Short mmCIF file of all heavy atoms in Angstrom, two decimals:
data_model
loop_
_atom_site.label_atom_id
_atom_site.label_comp_id
_atom_site.label_asym_id
_atom_site.label_seq_id
_atom_site.Cartn_x
_atom_site.Cartn_y
_atom_site.Cartn_z
N GLY A 214 11.83 13.87 -37.24
CA GLY A 214 12.76 14.92 -37.54
C GLY A 214 14.25 14.50 -37.39
O GLY A 214 14.56 13.46 -36.90
N CYS A 215 15.09 15.45 -37.82
CA CYS A 215 16.55 15.24 -37.68
C CYS A 215 17.16 16.64 -37.59
O CYS A 215 16.73 17.56 -38.32
CB CYS A 215 17.07 14.53 -38.92
SG CYS A 215 18.89 14.40 -38.90
N PRO A 216 18.13 16.82 -36.67
CA PRO A 216 18.67 18.15 -36.47
C PRO A 216 19.66 18.55 -37.59
O PRO A 216 20.03 19.76 -37.66
CB PRO A 216 19.43 18.03 -35.15
CG PRO A 216 19.69 16.60 -34.94
CD PRO A 216 18.63 15.82 -35.71
N PHE A 217 20.05 17.61 -38.44
CA PHE A 217 21.03 17.92 -39.47
C PHE A 217 20.34 18.39 -40.77
O PHE A 217 19.08 18.39 -40.86
CB PHE A 217 21.89 16.71 -39.79
CG PHE A 217 22.73 16.27 -38.61
CD1 PHE A 217 22.42 15.10 -37.87
CD2 PHE A 217 23.80 17.08 -38.15
CE1 PHE A 217 23.19 14.76 -36.80
CE2 PHE A 217 24.53 16.73 -37.03
CZ PHE A 217 24.25 15.57 -36.37
N ALA A 218 21.09 18.85 -41.75
CA ALA A 218 20.50 19.41 -42.96
C ALA A 218 21.35 18.98 -44.13
O ALA A 218 21.95 19.82 -44.83
CB ALA A 218 20.34 20.89 -42.88
N CYS A 219 21.47 17.71 -44.41
CA CYS A 219 22.29 17.26 -45.56
C CYS A 219 21.59 17.78 -46.81
O CYS A 219 20.38 17.81 -46.92
CB CYS A 219 22.34 15.75 -45.54
SG CYS A 219 22.94 15.12 -43.95
N ASP A 220 22.40 18.15 -47.82
CA ASP A 220 21.85 18.97 -48.91
C ASP A 220 20.96 18.21 -49.87
O ASP A 220 20.20 18.78 -50.60
CB ASP A 220 22.97 19.68 -49.65
CG ASP A 220 23.72 18.84 -50.63
OD1 ASP A 220 23.69 17.58 -50.50
OD2 ASP A 220 24.39 19.44 -51.52
N TYR A 221 21.03 16.86 -49.81
CA TYR A 221 20.14 16.06 -50.71
C TYR A 221 18.92 15.52 -50.00
O TYR A 221 18.10 14.89 -50.61
CB TYR A 221 20.94 14.82 -51.19
CG TYR A 221 21.57 14.00 -50.02
CD1 TYR A 221 20.81 13.02 -49.46
CD2 TYR A 221 22.78 14.30 -49.50
CE1 TYR A 221 21.28 12.36 -48.33
CE2 TYR A 221 23.31 13.58 -48.44
CZ TYR A 221 22.51 12.67 -47.81
OH TYR A 221 23.02 11.95 -46.76
N CYS A 222 18.77 15.83 -48.72
CA CYS A 222 17.69 15.15 -47.95
C CYS A 222 16.48 16.02 -47.84
O CYS A 222 16.56 17.29 -47.81
CB CYS A 222 18.24 14.86 -46.54
SG CYS A 222 17.07 14.00 -45.48
N THR A 223 15.25 15.39 -47.76
CA THR A 223 14.03 16.14 -47.73
C THR A 223 13.54 16.28 -46.36
O THR A 223 12.57 17.03 -46.11
CB THR A 223 12.99 15.44 -48.63
OG1 THR A 223 12.62 14.24 -48.02
CG2 THR A 223 13.47 15.19 -50.01
N ILE A 224 14.17 15.64 -45.42
CA ILE A 224 13.62 15.70 -43.99
C ILE A 224 13.69 17.11 -43.46
O ILE A 224 12.72 17.53 -42.81
CB ILE A 224 14.48 14.75 -43.09
CG1 ILE A 224 14.25 13.25 -43.54
CG2 ILE A 224 14.11 14.90 -41.64
CD1 ILE A 224 12.84 12.76 -43.50
N PRO A 225 14.77 17.87 -43.71
CA PRO A 225 14.80 19.28 -43.13
C PRO A 225 13.58 20.10 -43.65
O PRO A 225 13.02 20.94 -42.87
CB PRO A 225 16.09 19.82 -43.67
CG PRO A 225 16.99 18.65 -43.93
CD PRO A 225 16.03 17.60 -44.43
N ASP A 257 13.62 9.13 -38.20
CA ASP A 257 14.66 9.57 -39.10
C ASP A 257 16.05 9.52 -38.50
O ASP A 257 17.02 9.21 -39.17
CB ASP A 257 14.37 11.00 -39.50
CG ASP A 257 12.99 11.14 -40.18
OD1 ASP A 257 12.80 10.41 -41.13
OD2 ASP A 257 12.13 11.84 -39.63
N ASN A 258 16.12 9.72 -37.18
CA ASN A 258 17.42 9.66 -36.53
C ASN A 258 17.15 9.42 -35.05
O ASN A 258 16.93 10.28 -34.23
CB ASN A 258 18.11 11.04 -36.72
CG ASN A 258 19.54 11.01 -36.06
OD1 ASN A 258 19.93 10.03 -35.40
ND2 ASN A 258 20.19 12.10 -36.23
N CYS A 284 19.99 5.90 -37.71
CA CYS A 284 20.82 6.73 -36.74
C CYS A 284 21.99 7.41 -37.47
O CYS A 284 22.33 7.01 -38.58
CB CYS A 284 21.39 5.75 -35.71
SG CYS A 284 21.57 6.42 -34.11
N THR A 285 22.62 8.33 -36.79
CA THR A 285 23.88 8.85 -37.35
C THR A 285 25.04 8.08 -36.68
O THR A 285 24.88 7.56 -35.57
CB THR A 285 24.08 10.35 -37.08
OG1 THR A 285 23.70 10.66 -35.75
CG2 THR A 285 23.19 11.17 -38.05
N GLY A 309 23.56 6.17 -42.38
CA GLY A 309 23.68 6.75 -43.71
C GLY A 309 25.19 7.15 -43.84
O GLY A 309 25.55 8.33 -43.70
N GLU A 311 26.88 6.87 -46.64
CA GLU A 311 26.87 7.47 -47.97
C GLU A 311 28.07 7.22 -48.82
O GLU A 311 28.04 6.44 -49.74
CB GLU A 311 26.63 9.01 -47.89
CG GLU A 311 25.68 9.52 -46.79
CD GLU A 311 24.25 8.90 -46.85
OE1 GLU A 311 23.99 8.10 -47.73
OE2 GLU A 311 23.40 9.29 -46.02
N ASN A 322 27.10 18.91 -46.99
CA ASN A 322 26.75 19.43 -45.66
C ASN A 322 26.56 18.25 -44.67
O ASN A 322 25.67 18.27 -43.77
CB ASN A 322 25.45 20.31 -45.71
CG ASN A 322 25.31 21.24 -44.47
OD1 ASN A 322 26.36 21.45 -43.80
ND2 ASN A 322 24.11 21.53 -44.17
N LYS A 323 27.37 17.20 -44.82
CA LYS A 323 27.29 16.06 -43.94
C LYS A 323 28.62 15.87 -43.23
O LYS A 323 29.17 14.75 -43.14
CB LYS A 323 26.85 14.76 -44.76
CG LYS A 323 26.40 13.65 -43.87
CD LYS A 323 25.47 12.70 -44.53
CE LYS A 323 24.84 11.74 -43.53
NZ LYS A 323 23.70 11.08 -43.97
N HIS A 325 29.18 15.81 -40.23
CA HIS A 325 29.12 15.02 -38.98
C HIS A 325 29.49 13.52 -39.26
O HIS A 325 29.73 12.79 -38.32
CB HIS A 325 27.74 15.06 -38.35
CG HIS A 325 26.54 14.71 -39.29
ND1 HIS A 325 25.97 15.56 -40.14
CD2 HIS A 325 25.96 13.51 -39.46
CE1 HIS A 325 25.00 14.97 -40.77
NE2 HIS A 325 24.96 13.71 -40.38
S1 LIG B 2 21.39 13.00 -41.13
FE1 LIG B 2 20.04 11.69 -42.44
S2 LIG B 2 17.91 12.25 -41.89
FE2 LIG B 2 19.32 13.86 -41.12
S3 LIG B 2 19.37 15.44 -42.70
FE3 LIG B 2 21.11 14.08 -43.06
S4 LIG B 2 20.38 12.47 -44.48
FE4 LIG B 2 18.58 13.55 -43.63
#
Side-chain angles (χ1 to χ4, degrees):
C215 174
F217 297 108
C219 306
D220 77 342
Y221 55 85
C222 183
T223 66
I224 297 299
D257 301 300
N258 180 357
C284 211
T285 44
E311 325 300 4
N322 199 25
K323 195 155 191 162
H325 56 273

